[in-house]
Amino acid sequence: MDVLQDELAKLHGNANLSQSVQDVEKIIEQLERARESIVAGKSDSVFYIRNGGVCETLRGKEGVGIFGQFIHTDVFPDPSSASITLAKIQNPIKSGFEKVNDDLKKVHKGQSVYGRALDKNFPVKALPTEYDALASHPSLINRAIAMHLLREGQFSVASTFLDEAQDNPPHPIPTPGSPRPADSDSTDFTSLRSQELQVKFSNMYQILHELKAHNLHPAITWARGNSIELEKRGSNLEFELSKLQFVWLFQGPEVNGLPADSNNGLEGALKYARQHFGRFQGRFLRDIQQLATAMAYKSNLRSSPYYRTFDTETAWDDVSSSFTREFCSLLGLSAESPLYIAATAGAIALPTLLKLASIVKEKRTEWTTQNELPVEIALPKSMIFHAIFVCPVSKEQTTDSNPPMMMPCGHVVAKESLQRLSKGGRFKCPYCPGESHPKDARQIIL
Amino acid sequence: MADHITSKLNPDTHLILDQSLIRLPFELLRKNFKAAHFNVEKESTSVKATLKETTQASLNNASPDEIIKNVDLMLARMRGLKRKLNACAEEEARLHQQLQSRVRHLGELYGMQSLDDVKYEEWSRTRLDRLLVDYLLRYGYKDSAQALSKEKGIRDLVDVETFVQMSRIRESLRNARVTEALSWCSENKKELRRLESNFEFMLRFQQYIELVRTQNQTKLLESIAHAKKYLLPFKDSYPKEVQQACGLLAFPPGTRAAAYGELYSQSRWTTLANLFMQTHNRLLALPSVPLLHVALSAGLSALKTPSCHSLHISSISPTSASSITTSVCPICSTELNDLARNVPYAHHTKSHVESDLVLLPNGCVYGRHRLEEYSRKAGLSPDKFKDLRDGKVFPANEVKKVYIS
């Protein structure tokens, strides 16, 4: 890329059209000067026309080429200022145009040098465009984009987009991958539905904004309002928020900058704990005990065993991200924009897929697995979301129709492998000496 | 066997979706140069010729007014040339600037070590915004595209003008107008010939069909002249179409001959619009489908697992986050779930599960540590486990160990 940058700088510095503009300007100047002198000579020329005979003989004898000489030698008075002026600028203008052409050649050369550098450092790779499963579902993509914009807080762009998409609904294009464009695609991602989402997300951004300003109250109110769902998810967000509030108050006005009254500092924290921690006693008794004991160490907290609990360095970012996660989860959405993750994963997967395509083309084979990609694509750890079970016998991933089965010995194989191994009778586990009957194996959900 | 987890970033192979980013301005730069060159060529020949003629005329006693008129003519031509060249130079400067920003943007990737790099995330977000703008522009949502690129400050990284111009011509074709498309053809005559594109011929053919459609005497005569001028010269390249064109005169609209009835169909305009798009994209070396489609097709497949459209609410791998509650998988999320239905799922050769799995009596399997943590937070005593999916509580001694090989 550095090479390209250098080449580009060269292109920008040396091979541009500004020189040719200047040279064209020079030609214009010459023409203008010529015009002036012709206009100036116009009164004289009347004389020459009257004495046409002289000119005639001159011309007949000497020809055009000699005129320059007349001027230099100054033998005759200007016979026809116009024709001399014109003759005089013939060559300069011609060379002027040559100059312009040279300028252009230089630009052209610079561009081809850059083009070669581009080809060398950035060779063209064909995109796998022949298979496009998405062209038949533009309305679904539109919906995904609208939701992406909303969740990223780009409300004005989102509403522009919704209006435009409403006015010009996309035309689904059938593809070989999915021959019939789904008519059932819900195109009803109407403004009503999006408004609802927008309200929710603007609420989320509001709360996040407050969190950034170290104000926990809106977040706590939200968490309390949704405490049942949160608990079902095994989330302790509400308690984490309350705990942070306690810690925040505990640190007193020097740290939190809140007014130094009875609602702040140790006193305020205690008051807060009395008021709010009661409801958490069942689930978080240990944490509450810790917080309470820590109060005794108020004066030398830094050297106390509770120092970690009171370290708010990262705590704010942590609660912000877990708040975002829980908020989106309750809406049935992932915390990160799926569009972002999918596009990134796509960019990571493409080199492998392109390599595969080239091999397939070279070997003139085709892959027949319709449901599964033919190659493994390595993704960063953060992009693996589900437990994946690959049957150790058949090396296939388990699916709804071919679920994982656990034998009494605790080893797991896919259902189809189990049937093939056992042939209906007792069989030995392929991984241990344990023998069992297929009916003893049970389906598990990973 | 390749490992299924990676964080390696190889910039050279990673830049696949970004090719048109630096190719398109270069194509435009070349086109711009050609336009400049063409103008210089045209004006220089004409001015040189006029100069010669005028000189000649001045020797033959042309009136001074005549000469001045000619000089003025040359001046006007040269000033026009200067104006055009200036415009080209400005466009060139803009494209240089654009190329610089783009090369710099792509160059940033070379400074990153891994896919987990925070900078990569930021870069990738900008890429998504680019892909979105590309998609919006291709579908003709130009206001949204402009709004998004403005909001994100990525104007130098997207090609709004090119696509707006394209959608304008495409729209005019959809509205059964050929003027814009024809002028585009004449602008790009040489390149189209090099591509051996049939687009201009198809436009002329459509014009012809429209003339015949009127069934008006003068228009029919006109249509014959039109065919002679624009269609017949191509009878070797497009014999079928030329024959059809000839035959069409015998079949007025509403004919029952299917082959000719089709020619009168309005859907031909949509076909023409699509043909235009293809030709346009080929000419500028742009990918034929929105880049977002390419990225998503690959990405959805890479992320999709059989669990994503499973009947069971799938447990979520705890690898994605440190806490026990995790975020929803992007394929399971509402945005992409329906979209991902048609793509194949990722291929895996290794199981990827939590360590120390245990089976609850109801058939669900979890990592022991996570189960303990969850149950503790639910306020249960240590001898009880609570299912993460349906919330049922089981005695801890009823779980069984699961071995995944």
Side-chain angles (χ1 to χ4, degrees):
Chain A
M1 225 18 96
D2 291 341
V3 184
L4 273 191
Q5 231 153 2
D6 293 348
E7 288 294 335
L8 199 54
K10 263 189 238 163
L11 190 63
H12 185 56
N14 306 326
N16 59 43
L17 290 170
S18 57
Q19 188 61 43
S20 59
V21 175
Q22 280 171 23
D23 286 331
V24 166
E25 196 141 341
K26 277 181 200 149
I27 299 178
I28 294 178
E29 277 165 20
Q30 278 169 336
L31 278 172
E32 274 169 346
R33 264 199 309 261
R35 184 181 190 275
E36 268 167 36
S37 79
I38 291 170
V39 172
K42 197 172 151 187
S43 48
D44 302 338
S45 64
V46 178
F47 167 78
Y48 289 108
I49 287 168
R50 217 186 293 136
N51 300 292
V54 183
C55 297
E56 204 49 54
T57 48
L58 260 177
R59 217 167 283 136
K61 216 161 63 195
E62 312 285 353
V64 183
I66 209 85
F67 270 84
Q69 214 184 328
F70 278 118
I71 294 155
H72 290 300
T73 53
D74 232 3
V75 177
F76 286 94
D78 205 347
S80 157
S81 73
S83 47
I84 288 183
T85 317
L86 287 175
K88 223 168 97 186
I89 59 168
Q90 284 259 351
N91 281 331
I93 286 199
K94 209 173 145 202
S95 65
F97 275 121
E98 272 161 21
K99 188 98 201 329
V100 174
N101 264 326
D102 286 346
D103 297 337
L104 289 183
K105 263 183 209 146
K106 220 168 110 191
V107 177
H108 186 251
K109 201 175 151 225
Q111 286 191 353
S112 16
V113 168
Y114 176 75
R116 276 198 296 276
L118 188 64
D119 286 338
K120 195 172 156 226
N121 292 291
F122 206 72
V124 181
K125 291 170 207 143
L127 288 165
T129 48
E130 62 281 356
Y131 176 73
D132 184 355
L134 305 181
S136 47
H137 300 279
S139 52
L140 284 178
I141 302 182
N142 278 357
R143 189 180 70 172
I145 291 176
M147 288 175 80
H148 167 81
L149 292 171
L150 285 175
R151 71 149 62 226
E152 298 286 299
Q154 310 262 318
F155 299 130
S156 74
V157 181
S159 78
T160 312
F161 173 61
L162 283 167
D163 287 346
E164 258 185 324
Q166 201 86 36
D167 294 344
N168 311 290
H171 315 284
I173 305 160
T175 54
S178 46
R180 36 172 193 80
D183 303 318
S184 55
D185 287 358
S186 51
T187 43
D188 60 327
F189 189 72
T190 51
S191 48
L192 192 79
R193 172 99 169 73
S194 75
Q195 217 120 59
E196 197 183 301
L197 211 59
Q198 172 165 349
V199 168
K200 285 194 171 129
F201 276 111
S202 67
N203 183 20
M204 181 180 101
Y205 279 101
Q206 185 63 33
I207 295 176
L208 281 175
H209 181 73
E210 293 291 334
L211 275 181
K212 226 181 211 136
H214 294 176
N215 178 10
L216 285 157
H217 292 297
I220 294 176
T221 317
W222 178 84
R224 189 157 304 158
N226 296 286
S227 64
I228 298 170
E229 287 91 344
L230 287 175
E231 200 184 324
K232 216 183 249 165
R233 274 182 51 76
S235 158
N236 46 359
L237 180 70
E238 191 189 350
F239 179 67
E240 288 297 328
L241 290 167
S242 302
K243 189 170 130 189
L244 185 61
Q245 174 71 9
F246 174 84
V247 171
W248 191 235
L249 290 173
F250 184 87
Q251 287 176 336
E254 310 87 67
V255 180
N256 61 27
L258 294 169
D261 54 19
S262 64
N263 289 322
N264 201 354
L266 185 62
E267 195 186 346
L270 195 60
K271 202 163 148 190
Y272 183 83
R274 284 221 187 92
Q275 233 167 29
H276 298 286
F277 281 1
R279 48 195 271 116
F280 301 118
Q281 260 177 20
R283 291 166 65 199
F284 302 101
L285 190 62
R286 255 180 73 82
D287 301 70
I288 294 171
Q289 281 168 347
Q290 272 182 3
L291 291 176
T293 332
M295 282 193 237
Y297 288 90
K298 167 86 171 133
S299 51
N300 61 341
L301 195 63
R302 284 193 167 277
S303 48
S304 80
Y306 300 105
Y307 177 58
R308 282 181 147 280
T309 326
F310 286 83
D311 188 9
T312 49
E313 188 88 359
T314 58
W316 291 100
D317 289 342
D318 289 348
V319 293
S320 289
S321 68
S322 61
F323 166 75
T324 312
R325 200 168 54 222
E326 299 304 337
F327 193 100
C328 293
S329 298
L330 289 199
L331 294 176
L333 306 175
S334 64
E336 265 292 357
S337 164
L339 213 53
Y340 164 71
I341 296 183
T344 307
I348 295 170
L350 271 174
T352 317
L353 292 178
L354 283 186
K355 201 168 161 192
L356 170 84
S358 75
I359 292 171
V360 166
K361 207 171 154 195
E362 219 172 85
K363 298 257 164 80
R364 289 165 193 238
T365 50
E366 263 175 57
W367 80 73
T368 45
T369 45
Q370 282 286 318
N371 304 329
E372 196 173 347
L373 284 183
V375 277
E376 185 155 29
I377 287 159
L379 290 177
K381 211 168 176 206
S382 58
M383 287 192 183
I384 293 169
F385 293 90
H386 290 284
I388 292 155
F389 177 69
V390 178
C391 169
V393 177
S394 65
K395 301 286 176 202
E396 280 171 0
Q397 285 180 77
T398 50
T399 59
D400 273 3
S401 56
N402 183 21
M405 304 291 282
M406 189 177 104
M407 294 168 278
C409 55
H411 287 111
V412 185
V413 294
K415 191 173 185 176
E416 283 172 12
S417 307
L418 185 83
Q419 284 161 351
R420 231 169 289 148
L421 279 173
S422 67
K423 300 184 185 95
R426 281 185 75 79
F427 70 105
K428 185 191 95 59
C429 166
Y431 286 88
C432 69
E435 275 194 24
S436 64
H437 200 271
K439 69 173 194 299
D440 298 329
R442 56 175 305 185
Q443 184 178 337
I444 62 170
I445 302 165
L446 274 161
Chain B
M1 193 185 295
D3 203 359
H4 66 296
I5 292 178
T6 185
S7 59
K8 216 171 76 193
L9 174 65
N10 182 354
D12 281 326
T13 56
H14 198 73
L15 294 172
I16 286 174
L17 292 165
D18 316 283
Q19 302 183 70
S20 61
L21 193 65
I22 53 175
R23 291 260 167 205
L24 178 63
F26 184 57
E27 289 294 328
L28 293 177
L29 205 57
R30 282 213 289 224
K31 206 174 145 192
N32 186 51
F33 172 78
K34 271 181 204 153
H37 188 243
F38 173 75
N39 280 320
V40 168
E41 201 86 318
K42 196 173 103 192
E43 301 302 335
S44 75
T45 328
S46 137
V47 167
K48 275 192 263 182
T50 318
L51 185 61
K52 208 168 202 172
E53 271 166 31
T54 319
T55 317
Q56 206 66 48
S58 76
L59 291 174
N60 295 327
N61 275 336
S63 83
D65 290 324
E66 194 75 15
I67 293 171
I68 289 174
K69 206 180 116 198
N70 273 345
V71 175
D72 281 342
L73 192 79
M74 286 189 275
L75 268 172
R77 279 186 166 275
M78 288 309 289
R79 290 199 181 112
L81 175 63
K82 190 188 151 196
R83 207 179 49 242
K84 281 179 192 155
L85 268 185
N86 244 334
C88 285
E90 273 166 33
E91 172 73 359
E92 186 191 59
R94 190 184 70 83
L95 289 169
H96 279 167
Q97 151 79 25
Q98 203 179 46
L99 262 176
Q100 254 156 0
S101 321
R102 293 177 178 202
V103 170
R104 207 178 308 127
H105 170 67
L106 293 187
E108 281 168 17
L109 196 66
Y110 286 77
M112 296 168 200
Q113 303 303 320
S114 85
L115 296 169
D116 299 325
D117 200 326
V118 189
K119 276 194 275 175
Y120 176 73
E121 187 188 325
E122 200 182 311
W123 194 87
S124 184
R125 278 191 187 279
T126 309
R127 171 176 53 199
L128 175 63
D129 290 329
R130 284 195 279 117
L131 299 184
L132 285 177
V133 173
D134 173 78
Y135 173 90
L136 294 172
L137 287 172
R138 280 166 186 263
Y139 274 89
Y141 302 137
K142 70 169 195 290
D143 290 345
S144 321
Q146 259 155 352
L148 185 62
S149 57
K150 196 173 154 200
E151 195 131 319
K152 298 285 190 169
I154 51 168
R155 282 223 176 124
D156 265 349
L157 303 180
V158 292
D159 303 289
V160 177
E161 292 82 9
T162 307
F163 280 104
V164 166
Q165 196 202 10
M166 183 203 79
S167 15
R168 198 172 44 83
I169 299 174
R170 186 181 55 185
E171 239 7 75
S172 75
L173 281 176
R174 283 193 184 142
N175 294 325
R177 253 198 344 266
V178 290
T179 346
E180 286 87 348
L182 277 176
S183 80
W184 180 82
C185 282
S186 73
E187 264 170 48
N188 300 286
K189 220 178 191 77
K190 266 189 200 156
E191 289 82 0
L192 286 175
R193 209 177 300 145
R194 190 169 46 82
L195 289 179
E196 295 179 351
S197 153
N198 65 343
F199 178 57
E200 185 170 357
F201 175 81
M202 294 310 274
L203 280 178
R204 296 293 184 188
F205 189 20
Q206 190 63 36
Q207 267 186 318
Y208 170 79
I209 294 171
E210 295 307 315
L211 285 172
V212 179
R213 193 196 300 279
T214 59
Q215 290 295 305
N216 166 317
Q217 200 60 44
T218 47
K219 293 272 183 190
L220 281 176
L221 286 173
E222 205 181 306
S223 78
I224 294 168
H226 180 92
K228 270 188 190 149
K229 190 167 171 199
Y230 296 111
L231 302 184
L232 287 180
F234 296 97
K235 66 176 187 297
D236 294 332
S237 319
Y238 314 107
K240 182 174 159 250
E241 281 81 2
V242 174
Q243 272 178 15
Q244 274 184 324
C246 298
L248 191 68
L249 282 173
F251 294 89
T255 174
R256 264 183 281 168
Y260 291 101
E262 257 171 42
L263 292 180
Y264 288 114
S265 151
Q266 288 298 331
S267 71
R268 279 184 66 92
W269 287 107
T270 320
T271 320
L272 267 180
N274 290 340
L275 181 65
F276 165 68
M277 240 176 29
Q278 278 169 19
T279 316
H280 175 268
N281 292 342
R282 229 172 91 206
L283 194 70
L284 293 174
L286 289 167
S288 56
V289 297
L291 288 166
L292 190 69
H293 286 194
V294 180
L296 282 185
S297 300
L300 293 179
S301 275
L303 291 169
K304 188 176 163 184
T305 67
S307 322
C308 291
H309 294 93
S310 160
L311 299 171
H312 304 289
I313 318 158
S314 174
S315 154
I316 291 149
S317 155
T319 49
S320 55
S322 50
S323 89
I324 55 153
T325 60
T326 44
S327 65
V328 177
C329 150
I331 306 296
C332 300
S333 191
T334 327
E335 285 106 320
L336 298 180
N337 197 262
D338 292 334
L339 207 52
R341 233 170 253 285
N342 292 316
V343 302
Y345 54 76
H347 176 72
H348 288 278
T349 48
K350 275 185 203 158
S351 295
H352 183 84
V353 291
E354 294 167 66
S355 54
D356 196 10
L357 287 177
V358 292
L359 170 74
L360 294 179
N362 65 357
C364 293
V365 175
Y366 303 99
R368 179 182 287 273
H369 178 74
R370 189 154 70 112
L371 200 57
E372 278 169 0
E373 181 102 358
Y374 179 75
S375 308
R376 189 172 66 78
K377 283 193 172 140
L380 292 176
S381 57
D383 60 346
K384 290 236 163 43
F385 284 148
K386 188 172 179 180
D387 190 320
L388 274 76
R389 288 191 183 91
D390 56 15
K392 279 197 190 108
V393 178
F394 302 98
N397 57 13
E398 278 184 30
V399 305
K400 283 186 82 173
K401 210 162 158 45
V402 179
Y403 299 98
I404 301 286
S405 32

